[in-house]
Amino acid sequence: MNTQQHQNTKRTLRVLGVVLLAFGAVLAMTGFVNFALSISDGEMPSLFWMLFLGFPLLAFGLMLLLMSLRQEITRYVKNETIPVINEAGEEIAPAVRAVAAAAREGVIPTEHLTCGACGAENPAGNSYCGKCGAPLARTCPACGASVKAGDAYCGQCGKKL
């Protein structure tokens, strides 16, 4: 659909929507007023059918009007939302940069065990030295707790090893 034809369609929908909206409002109000006056007089309402015709016309007119204004409504929402999104992005950017830098540097410190026999550093999960084969963990003679090789005192009971 070309731009001129699209604009004409939107204009037609807009005019038809306003006309149906106004006509539906007049019918609904007339039916409602007639209903209220008839009830207060104790008579049967004679124009009650206008309510049943007016409300669907109101809804259909509103739907046509909103369809014709969809582009304008969407543009308005976009223009209101984008600055908020940009501002939020600017506010969280330092935190994202800090997390990224921490991930690059390695936030979790890697613990190494030093072999008591040869002094080589071994990963924390090793039980034996990768260089000389000596056990990396010992048992405290006082309390039986496991202690790292190279520790001078037990971390559980504090006794000298």
Side-chain angles (χ1 to χ4, degrees):
M1 184 183 304
N2 64 30
T3 306
Q4 184 60 36
Q5 185 180 5
H6 181 72
Q7 292 301 324
N8 289 340
T9 302
K10 282 176 54 173
R11 191 176 308 111
T12 302
L13 287 175
R14 202 170 287 152
V15 169
L16 188 59
V18 170
V19 168
L20 288 178
L21 197 63
F23 192 59
V26 168
L27 285 175
M29 289 302 294
T30 303
F32 184 73
V33 168
N34 178 259
F35 177 76
L37 292 176
S38 297
I39 295 298
S40 67
D41 293 341
E43 299 173 3
M44 290 294 292
S46 60
L47 302 175
F48 189 67
W49 60 270
M50 289 186 173
L51 275 173
F52 292 105
L53 186 59
F55 283 131
L57 286 176
L58 272 171
F60 193 64
L62 184 62
M63 182 188 70
L64 290 177
L65 193 59
L66 288 175
M67 280 176 35
S68 71
L69 296 172
R70 178 165 285 161
Q71 184 178 12
E72 289 80 6
I73 292 169
T74 304
R75 185 175 294 123
Y76 173 78
V77 170
K78 176 203 55 121
N79 290 338
E80 290 295 314
T81 306
I82 293 297
V84 174
I85 292 170
N86 289 339
E87 183 179 332
E90 290 171 6
E91 289 177 6
I92 67 169
V96 171
R97 281 190 206 99
V99 169
R104 275 192 306 273
E105 294 170 6
V107 181
I108 302 170
T110 54
E111 188 175 317
H112 292 285
L113 298 176
T114 305
C115 177
C118 69
E121 285 195 359
N122 292 279
N126 285 10
S127 299
Y128 295 92
C129 178
K131 186 173 181 183
C132 70
L136 294 175
R138 297 185 297 175
T139 304
C140 174
C143 69
S146 180
V147 292
K148 295 178 188 172
D151 284 354
Y153 291 91
C154 175
Q156 295 293 319
C157 66
K159 299 285 183 183
K160 185 172 173 112
L161 300 173

